[in-house]
Amino acid sequence: MVRPTLFFLLLTGAAVGAEPRGPLSPANEAATFRLADERLTIELAAGEPEVDSPVAIAWDAEGRMYVAEMSDYPIGPGSGRVRLLTDRDGDGRYDQATVFAEGLNFPNGVLCWRGGVFVTASPDLWYLEDTEGDGRADERHVVWSGFAEGNQQLRANGLTWGLDNWIYGANGRSDGEIRRPGAPGEAISIRTQDFRFSPDGKGFEAIPGQSQFGQTRDDWGRRFLSWNTIAVRQVLLDPPILAAHPRLVSLAVRDIADPADGGRVFPISPRPQTFNREATDFYNALCGLSIYRGDALGDDYCGNAFVGESLTNLVHRRVLEADGPTFVSRRREADREFLAAADPWFHPVNTATGPDGALYIVDFYRRWVEHPNFVPGDLRGSVDWREGVGHGRIWRIRRRDSTEQKANAPRLSGADASQLVAGLSHPNGWRRDTAQRLLVERGDAESIPLLRQTVMGDRSTVARGHALWTLEGLGGLDETVLLAALSDRAAEVREQALRLAAERTSPSAKLVSAVRALSADPSLAVRFRLAVSLGGSADDEKLATWVSLVKQPDAAPWLLLSVSSALDERSTWRFLRRLLQDDPAWLDAPNIEQAAFLRQTAAMLRDRAEAAELLSLLPVSSPARIGAGSLALVAGLAQSVVAGDGGLRSPDRRLTDKAAATISAVIEAARRVAQDGRVEIAQRIDAIGVLGLDDPAAAAPLLVGLLSATQPQEVQSAAAATLGGSADVEAARRMFADWNTYTAATRRAVAAAALRRPAATEVLVEALEQGTVAVNELDAALREALTSIRDPALRERTNKIVAAAAPADRQAVLAQYQPALAETGDGRRGAALFRQHCLACHALHGLGHRVGADLLGVAARPKATLLQDVLDPSRQITPNFMSYTLVTTDGQILTGLLAAESAQAVTLLRPDGVQENVPRERVEELRASGKSLMPDGFEQKFDLSGMADLLEFLAHPSRELLLSP
């Protein structure tokens, strides 16, 4: 219900009720800074008039700084600039400024390449170069175009040099259809995705993730994303892997925050007044994420994440702790921030590691930084949105005892090959990146022998990683070097070698053998990389490798998931057969993760003969002896394509006698387990899934009984899903017969399940027409789905129903519920209402599902704002919270948020945190509703007293109340 804020947000520069304070001089602003670590110091690197409205920075090989300036912010016209700064006397202060390029449309990202820079300025990605030596770009051409010109805060940005010699960019939440100017071919959609391109301008790809403003990587090319209310997220998978295994898309991006992190921030500036009354005590306007890779702060800071909080005038620090292939990000300063300013004009919008190893902070430094689009219309004309234009600062943070100053910044453009290769060992990541970039730019074959020696020698670990990718960029990486890297003493180098080996189109038998030998690697991260990198035909050795990976006692859930997702229809059956033959114990008493793995893998089978053979392998002597693994496998088969109408028991399936007997025995066992409250819920859910193969007339009474409110909610939802998958009309009618006794979550599950089959969908429409089900009980996503029914006659009936129950005018509803603001609600009753109606899509205190907007800091929002959020959720909807409807080729209708999208698959995030990953070949239609996934008409669930109770709980969202009965 909380509208996600953006990386620039409104600040008044004064406490509420105080006179706004004007801008301070750089020296006076610096006096308001507080660093948590007294060993560090902060100093001005550049300020006005040399810079104006800076938002991004980059350095060339000579240590000159390029600054992207959004001086045209917030509404234009497009008159932004790129400025070139030089420190002429080496004192650490950039004292010469040249307007390198002007007339750009809100430039917000910059990166050096060859003698110029790439710049993001939607709708274009520019390359700008000074070929005459006067400090001004005389060469200007568009490399790629089609980036959407959405809100100026949310455009493509964040250019970053990748370890793999690609340049990475952030989507910004505006999407786009990208083309190379003048080149034929279809546009490349970056909807819900970030992007990367080759520096030569020939290659462009949409990639996992959707970063808001800024994105970064660590020493090993692992990408981390920026989001306004999430400190740091990680991308786990590379584009080539997702292209080969589209089902892995759900594993591609992870929120890595410490689960105990409440999102509090600790500003020292006056509490800002915001037009939209946003929370100011919690993450709100995080932006400009970077991983510090320098050597001027001390070892304690290497690999830490830094991100600006522009609303509350501070820079936040996170420590990344390794957890297999991923990390957990934890706050380091417990009750303060790494850097905080008392000056409310300090707006840290970006961070970077500089050529001198220091941490740089880009300070937009204005009074008003909110965009008018997010301010009520009656207030927009009363504010000078450009007040403070002409200001801007860039700050440098280093250790007080650091001896390396700007005067010692490198001059790398004249370095020869041996010097650049030696630079790959430098402790400062900027130096290493620049050395690699220059070697790749030059294409110098003389460096190849030196790089080979680096990989196979005793240089630093990071040098060996850089050398591998530099060789790849120069076309000089042969199998001899790759084999050496696969057996490197450092797990990080072995992981990079696996990435490179996976991209080989014709690997030798020796290389394949070396890759598969890593199935016993001591590093979980290496084994994860191996699991997702195995592609191609399903030969016996590859299957043996996968089996070895999943059988290891420390196989984490994400490793099991990576194997199940990497399998394809050619290899699934053979893999399962080998696993069950090697380790039959999986069928008797698997742990929860192993059972889930068996279910997910079996669900991928597409050949009925293979399914029948799998069934014949199950050790079924009697229903009483059927293990949890057998139930999980058959539950997976019930979800698979091979089930089909009528299930595997349909006469045309022609099962072997043993397979038929196995199904009968497993179904009999499933009937017992599904009703047994002493059995673990996960096993009961598997049993309920198995009943999808039973005769509908026999299964329906049992499944309807499991919809009772006395059952665990997970059991009720599973029963609804199985009933909805039936093609039997009478089973569907029984599903709606006791509608009034269902919980709200079960009603959602039953209605959503009814859209899985045309027969059940028609029964739902009948229930709506007869008044058994009220339209206002269906959320916005389900109402939208009803209008996508294939059958024209049925669709006409649903359109009439939906139109007749159209939500009332939002302003009128808001006026009607204003009296609730004057009531003192009961927080305990409000917590019960929140549990019933909100936890399906919102997370709070570690409970619920993170589907809708994050509720961190909800208590800081006035009740009047919360009332508006509840009653008019689509008023200020942003693309990432817009509902989508997907219709499959077999008529299934799905609704939810568009969580991920690629050329191979679409992933929807639905209420209760359910993810639906649909292969592209099954997508018949995908369209945006233009509305929030949170429905209008929420007022129909509450009277005035109930609304007052809900608002009271949201104003004081106690975990204890949420957990209380």
Side-chain angles (χ1 to χ4, degrees):
M1 286 180 284
V2 176
R3 180 180 65 84
T5 54
L6 312 173
F7 86 95
F8 291 145
L9 288 172
L10 166 71
L11 300 178
T12 63
V16 175
E19 288 296 321
R21 191 170 65 189
L24 301 178
S25 68
N28 288 338
E29 181 190 8
T32 76
F33 291 149
R34 185 183 73 186
L35 284 160
D37 187 343
E38 294 182 352
R39 298 172 300 172
L40 303 181
T41 186
I42 184 167
E43 55 200 10
L44 186 70
E48 65 270 8
E50 282 75 33
V51 291
D52 173 10
S53 311
V55 295
I57 56 176
W59 292 266
D60 67 11
E62 289 296 292
R64 300 182 301 174
M65 182 192 293
Y66 290 83
V67 184
E69 299 181 341
M70 284 181 67
S71 52
D72 46 355
Y73 181 82
I75 54 176
S79 56
R81 294 183 296 264
V82 172
R83 191 105 59 163
L84 175 59
L85 304 184
T86 305
D87 175 11
R88 292 176 296 182
D89 55 12
D91 66 351
R93 173 72 186 271
Y94 291 85
D95 50 11
Q96 177 177 316
T98 303
V99 176
F100 185 72
E102 55 190 336
L104 297 170
N105 196 38
F106 303 98
N108 58 3
V110 60
L111 185 75
C112 297
W113 171 253
R114 296 196 183 277
V117 292
F118 290 107
V119 176
T120 48
S122 296
D124 301 319
L125 171 68
W126 290 86
Y127 179 74
L128 312 172
E129 185 176 349
D130 169 21
T131 64
E132 299 175 350
D134 61 358
R136 297 184 63 85
D138 51 273
E139 179 184 336
R140 297 171 54 131
H141 67 267
V142 175
V143 184
W144 295 97
S145 190
F147 298 93
E149 297 180 79
N151 184 284
Q152 288 84 350
Q153 302 168 345
L154 300 175
R155 300 182 177 197
N157 65 84
L159 297 180
T160 303
W161 173 259
L163 183 62
D164 56 3
N165 305 307
W166 286 72
I167 295 173
Y168 288 76
N171 178 304
R173 289 178 27 185
S174 287
D175 302 337
E177 299 290 326
I178 315 304
R179 298 177 180 274
R180 190 175 179 188
E186 293 185 6
I188 301 168
S189 173
I190 60 169
R191 184 167 62 178
T192 74
Q193 300 177 91
D194 288 333
F195 62 93
R196 70 174 187 171
F197 62 95
S198 57
D200 61 11
K202 296 179 180 178
F204 187 99
E205 295 179 359
I207 60 174
Q210 188 181 27
S211 202
Q212 187 166 307
F213 188 79
Q215 48 127 31
T216 188
R217 70 167 177 88
D218 67 4
D219 285 340
W220 299 101
R222 292 173 287 223
R223 289 180 57 228
F224 299 89
L225 310 182
S226 174
W227 204 252
N228 63 296
T229 57
I230 303 174
V232 55
R233 296 182 299 157
Q234 182 187 355
V235 178
L236 281 184
L237 300 175
D238 306 320
I241 290 173
L242 286 178
H245 307 300
R247 282 190 304 274
L248 282 169
V249 68
S250 62
L251 194 65
V253 180
R254 288 174 61 90
D255 178 359
I256 60 173
D258 177 0
D261 178 26
R264 281 292 306 273
V265 292
F266 299 92
I268 62 174
S269 55
R271 181 180 293 274
Q273 175 185 342
T274 61
F275 284 128
N276 291 304
R277 298 173 181 172
E278 296 290 351
T280 59
D281 298 322
F282 299 85
Y283 300 147
N284 191 301
L286 298 170
C287 57
L289 175 71
S290 72
I291 302 296
Y292 176 68
R293 301 170 56 223
D295 56 346
L297 269 64
D299 293 343
D300 291 349
Y301 291 93
C302 289
N304 290 184
F306 291 89
V307 60
E309 225 305 342
S310 61
L311 176 65
T312 46
N313 325 112
L314 57 90
V315 175
H316 181 68
R317 174 190 178 202
R318 308 287 292 186
V319 176
L320 303 183
E321 298 177 0
D323 180 21
T326 185
F327 293 86
V328 176
S329 77
R330 303 187 192 278
R331 167 184 281 278
R332 174 50 59 91
E333 291 80 19
D335 58 355
R336 63 189 60 199
E337 299 297 339
F338 169 76
L339 169 65
D343 181 1
W345 281 48
F346 172 59
H347 303 307
V349 297
N350 226 322
T351 60
T353 303
D356 55 352
L359 177 67
Y360 283 73
I361 311 296
V362 179
D363 178 4
F364 192 64
Y365 209 77
R366 283 200 199 171
R367 180 182 177 191
W368 304 104
V369 287
E370 171 72 304
H371 195 282
N373 287 357
F374 299 102
V375 173
D378 57 340
L379 298 176
R380 292 177 189 173
S382 63
V383 173
D384 177 8
W385 298 106
R386 290 172 58 79
E387 182 178 352
V389 67
H391 292 86
R393 287 98 193 252
I394 296 166
W395 302 95
R396 176 194 300 110
I397 301 176
R398 60 178 178 84
R399 283 179 65 99
R400 292 182 185 277
D401 58 3
S402 173
T403 57
E404 183 159 352
Q405 298 290 322
K406 183 64 185 175
N408 296 323
R411 301 289 187 266
L412 297 182
S413 59
D416 61 24
S418 63
Q419 291 171 319
L420 292 177
V421 172
L424 300 178
S425 299
H426 198 280
N428 180 6
W430 182 92
R431 294 279 291 267
R432 297 194 303 271
D433 289 352
T434 304
Q436 176 179 336
R437 176 174 66 82
L438 292 173
L439 287 167
V440 173
E441 282 180 6
R442 296 175 184 178
D444 188 352
E446 290 183 13
S447 64
I448 291 177
L450 299 172
L451 292 165
R452 288 169 54 89
Q453 293 171 14
T454 300
V455 174
M456 296 186 286
D458 58 358
R459 290 284 183 90
S460 69
T461 302
V462 290
R464 299 197 299 277
H466 276 285
L468 270 175
W469 283 104
T470 308
L471 282 169
E472 175 72 2
L474 293 171
L477 181 61
D478 60 27
E479 284 201 356
T480 301
V481 175
L482 202 48
L483 286 166
L486 285 169
S487 60
D488 193 277
R489 59 189 178 276
E492 295 90 348
V493 176
R494 298 195 299 274
E495 189 176 351
Q496 298 306 312
L498 267 174
R499 288 182 62 189
L500 287 159
E503 296 180 10
R504 296 268 158 158
T505 55
S506 301
S508 68
K510 189 175 183 179
L511 181 61
V512 170
S513 177
V515 166
R516 292 174 179 171
L518 293 174
S519 63
D521 196 278
S523 165
L524 270 172
V526 171
R527 279 181 272 150
F528 171 79
R529 177 63 54 180
L530 174 62
V532 300
S533 297
L534 290 173
S537 60
D539 59 82
D540 289 341
E541 289 301 319
K542 184 172 75 170
L543 294 175
T545 302
W546 270 324
V547 169
S548 174
L549 287 168
V550 302
K551 286 173 57 180
Q552 291 164 359
D554 63 344
W558 40 257
L559 180 58
L560 296 173
L561 178 59
S562 69
V563 172
S564 67
S565 300
L567 290 165
D568 57 26
E569 60 186 270
R570 297 171 297 172
S571 56
T572 299
W573 151 239
R574 295 175 61 201
F575 168 82
L576 282 172
R577 180 175 61 185
R578 183 155 190 160
L579 175 64
L580 299 183
Q581 290 172 340
D582 285 4
D583 196 351
W586 275 56
L587 292 173
D588 295 327
N591 60 35
I592 292 176
E593 289 80 15
Q594 290 170 337
F597 172 79
L598 291 173
R599 180 176 60 254
Q600 293 160 356
T601 308
M604 292 157 47
L605 284 174
R606 306 177 77 89
D607 184 275
R608 293 186 177 94
E610 291 177 348
E613 191 171 350
L614 174 63
L615 288 166
S616 68
L617 291 177
L618 300 188
V620 180
S621 56
S622 73
R625 296 177 60 90
I626 290 173
S630 295
L631 278 174
L633 274 171
V634 179
L637 290 179
Q639 301 172 21
S640 73
V641 175
V642 303
D645 292 336
L648 278 170
R649 304 181 77 195
S650 179
D652 67 336
R653 300 297 184 259
R654 296 187 297 278
L655 296 179
T656 63
D657 291 343
K658 184 175 182 181
T662 297
I663 286 185
S664 296
V666 174
I667 287 174
E668 185 175 342
R671 290 174 184 150
R672 171 179 53 81
V673 172
Q675 301 175 83
D676 191 343
R678 298 166 298 177
V679 176
E680 288 190 2
I681 288 178
Q683 192 173 343
R684 293 183 68 188
I685 291 173
D686 281 339
I688 291 168
V690 169
L691 294 178
L693 297 175
D694 198 3
D695 176 64
L702 187 158
L703 291 169
V704 170
L706 294 177
L707 296 175
S708 166
T710 62
Q711 296 289 339
Q713 186 57 59
E714 299 94 328
V715 168
Q716 297 177 55
S717 297
T722 300
L723 279 165
S726 171
D728 186 79
V729 174
E730 288 308 313
R733 288 202 172 100
R734 297 192 67 162
M735 182 167 62
F736 286 96
D738 296 323
W739 177 267
N740 290 333
T741 68
Y742 297 158
T743 66
T746 301
R747 293 185 185 192
R748 283 195 304 271
V750 168
L755 295 172
R756 294 180 59 191
R757 294 276 186 171
T761 303
E762 185 160 6
V763 172
L764 170 59
V765 174
E766 290 175 359
L768 288 165
E769 290 173 330
Q770 294 165 5
T772 304
V773 177
V775 179
N776 60 28
E777 294 181 279
L778 306 183
D779 61 33
L782 286 172
R783 295 180 205 174
E784 179 71 18
L786 285 171
T787 65
S788 301
I789 294 173
R790 277 178 166 184
D791 185 294
L794 193 59
R795 187 169 61 247
E796 183 178 353
R797 289 163 61 189
T798 60
N799 286 341
K800 289 179 181 178
I801 296 168
V802 173
D809 174 72
R810 294 295 92 197
Q811 285 302 117
V813 171
L814 279 168
Q816 178 187 346
Y817 277 80
Q818 287 301 305
L821 297 174
E823 290 190 24
T824 301
D826 184 308
R828 185 174 297 275
R829 290 198 301 263
L833 292 170
F834 187 89
R835 283 197 305 271
Q836 181 180 4
H837 298 292
C838 305
L839 282 181
C841 289
H842 293 286
L844 186 62
H845 295 311
L847 304 173
H849 302 279
R850 183 175 279 179
V851 180
D854 203 315
L855 294 187
L856 282 174
V858 65
R861 296 171 66 79
K863 286 186 178 181
T865 302
L866 292 171
L867 181 67
Q868 180 174 287
D869 290 337
V870 170
L871 298 179
D872 195 5
S874 296
R875 184 169 185 254
Q876 299 186 56
I877 185 65
T878 55
N880 52 307
F881 289 106
M882 188 178 296
S883 174
Y884 278 76
T885 297
L886 186 153
V887 182
T888 66
T889 52
D890 58 357
Q892 186 176 2
I893 305 170
L894 304 172
T895 53
L897 302 180
L898 190 59
E901 186 177 22
S902 69
Q904 293 78 32
V906 174
T907 301
L908 292 183
L909 182 60
R910 306 179 67 192
D912 295 310
V914 175
Q915 281 198 349
E916 296 278 0
N917 187 39
V918 183
R920 276 286 183 187
E921 61 267 23
R922 290 191 59 222
V923 177
E924 181 174 285
E925 182 182 1
L926 177 67
R927 72 168 187 269
S929 68
K931 297 180 179 179
S932 168
L933 186 64
M934 181 176 171
D936 288 342
F938 216 59
E939 70 279 358
Q940 297 168 11
K941 302 178 186 293
F942 302 95
D943 56 16
L944 284 173
S945 178
M947 184 64 74
D949 294 340
L950 179 64
L951 294 175
E952 180 64 21
F953 169 72
L954 292 174
H956 304 91
S958 159
R959 178 179 173 85
E960 289 71 25
L961 285 180
L962 202 54
L963 290 172
S964 64

